[in-house]
Amino acid sequence: SFQNKRAINSFLGRVNYAYADKYLFTASYRADGSSVFGENNKWGYFPSASVAWRASEEAFLKDLDIFTDFKIRASWGVTGNQAISPYASLAQILSGANYPYYGNDETNIGFNIARAPNPNLKWETTTQTDLGLDFALFNGRLTGTVDYYVKTTRDLLLSRQLPTNTGFSSIVDNVGSTENKGVEISLGGDPFVGEFKWNTGFNISFNRSTVLELANEGKLPFRTTTGAGYG
């Protein structure tokens, strides 16, 4: 059969708090269970939190009469990835491994295990920390956003090569980690308002991606045919 089915069950809780419209806080906690993972790791748990200070509400900035908005913020959170095919954590049995029946030319239909199971297969997780600044000047005529982020992805869902003596070529596993660091800058403005309007915007971003860890494997045995012998 080529039919398949996948299911996910999620729970989410979130708390928001604001004091004097200047100090902002948000926290959330999410639990996701997915059928695509191994029987030992169906569930993943993903917290997040963010804080912000709207400094433009403070008297020392209001007196300047320049900033319509000026906010400093910071956030941290974890998200999960389940983008793999259903049943990737289970053994796969295929037909075609036929064998002689009673020692003559007749064959009996046989089956073999074509894919190794991985009951410990779990969620790929990404942890991101972000520091940001939002501002608006001159009654919103000039606006901008600056963000610096660090994003680390662990337990990547990849196919890992196996030694040939296991009887399998590969297995879907949690392999290695990567990191992305970057800065994003966005500026916008309304140079002219009224009957003649002019809106303009500018954005630029920088990102550096690094592989932190690969599969922790020893040398894999292999054989190639070279002429009459083996090398």
Side-chain angles (χ1 to χ4, degrees), residues 129-218:
T129 302
D130 185 277
L131 300 175
L133 173 68
D134 303 320
F135 62 88
L137 292 81
F138 314 119
N139 293 321
R141 297 281 292 275
L142 176 63
T143 60
T145 298
V146 180
D147 279 286
Y148 171 75
Y149 62 88
V150 179
K151 183 165 61 174
T152 304
T153 302
R154 298 180 176 87
D155 300 319
L156 282 77
L157 294 168
L158 297 171
S159 179
R160 177 169 64 87
Q161 188 178 0
L162 293 175
T164 54
N165 56 15
T166 64
F168 304 100
S169 59
S170 63
I171 187 173
V172 178
D173 204 356
N174 298 103
V175 178
S177 59
T178 61
E179 180 184 74
N180 284 273
K181 292 182 179 180
V183 176
E184 296 179 346
I185 301 172
S186 177
L187 298 174
D190 298 315
F192 296 99
V193 295
E195 294 185 5
F196 177 73
K197 297 181 180 180
W198 176 19
N199 307 102
T200 185
F202 168 82
N203 63 79
I204 189 171
S205 61
F206 306 89
N207 181 79
R208 181 178 182 180
S209 183
T210 306
V211 177
L212 301 178
E213 182 184 358
L214 295 174
N216 185 17
E217 298 175 334

Side-chain angles (χ1 to χ4, degrees), residues 87-132:
Y87 320 121
S89 66
L90 304 177
Q92 183 182 42
I93 299 177
L94 294 179
S95 61
N98 301 335
Y99 58 94
Y101 185 64
Y102 290 141
N104 52 31
D105 293 336
E106 298 181 22
T107 58
N108 201 359
I109 297 176
F111 298 85
N112 69 301
I113 299 178
R115 182 177 64 205
N118 186 357
N120 295 318
L121 188 66
K122 60 184 179 181
W123 287 81
E124 176 183 300
T125 60
T126 298
T127 302
Q128 180 165 335
T129 302
D130 185 277
L131 300 175

